[in-house]
Amino acid sequence: MISSFEGINLYTKDTAALAKFYAELLGVPVPFEGFGNYDGAKIGFDKGQPGLIIWDENKWGKHTTGVVNLVFSCGSLDETYEQLKARGLDCQPPATMEYGGKEMNFRDPDGNGITLLEGAYC
């Protein structure tokens, strides 16, 4: 039976560029750079934990079906916003949501939604 959650597959026409967006702009590590020439890459905070697995859709086809929204947490969303803005991310500042938490929403270069939370949902 199922023993663990590995991650979420994202398919892109430019695997290296999408991995670079997450690694260099957002600061999410790339613990696995793929099978040569960015045939696939895993981004996440530890190779053994779940992460985002980015695949070259030119080779493997586009298998993502439906809307993807990725959620990351951070300690201070205001500080994170300023850091990302300084790195060139074009997005709106954080907002306090109806449930009381603070969020910031934007899209990656392929149009996948990204939500940054101050803290976590639970």
Side-chain angles (χ1 to χ4, degrees):
M1 292 300 299
I2 296 171
S3 61
S4 66
F5 179 67
E6 179 66 21
I8 297 171
N9 286 331
L10 296 178
Y11 292 82
T12 181
K13 292 181 180 177
D14 192 341
T15 309
L18 195 59
K20 183 178 177 179
F21 170 83
Y22 283 96
E24 293 181 12
L25 187 74
L26 300 185
V28 180
V30 181
F32 178 70
E33 292 185 11
F35 304 104
N37 199 25
Y38 276 97
D39 192 28
K42 181 175 184 177
I43 61 172
F45 296 93
D46 183 289
K47 188 175 180 179
Q49 293 180 352
L52 300 174
I53 301 105
I54 302 171
W55 297 103
D56 180 355
E57 75 177 58
N58 299 304
K59 179 174 182 177
W60 301 106
K62 187 167 180 79
H63 297 277
T64 304
T65 58
V67 177
V68 176
N69 189 74
L70 309 168
V71 181
F72 297 95
S73 62
C74 56
S76 170
L77 197 47
D78 291 325
E79 288 178 21
T80 301
Y81 168 70
E82 292 300 329
Q83 291 169 351
L84 294 177
K85 195 168 121 181
R87 292 179 186 173
L89 182 67
D90 183 21
C91 65
Q92 297 296 312
T96 301
M97 308 306 287
E98 290 180 27
Y99 67 88
K102 201 177 227 183
E103 292 185 5
M104 185 172 84
N105 295 283
F106 55 95
R107 297 199 175 275
D108 73 13
D110 282 0
N112 298 301
I114 297 174
T115 298
L116 298 184
L117 298 175
E118 185 169 302
Y121 283 136
C122 50

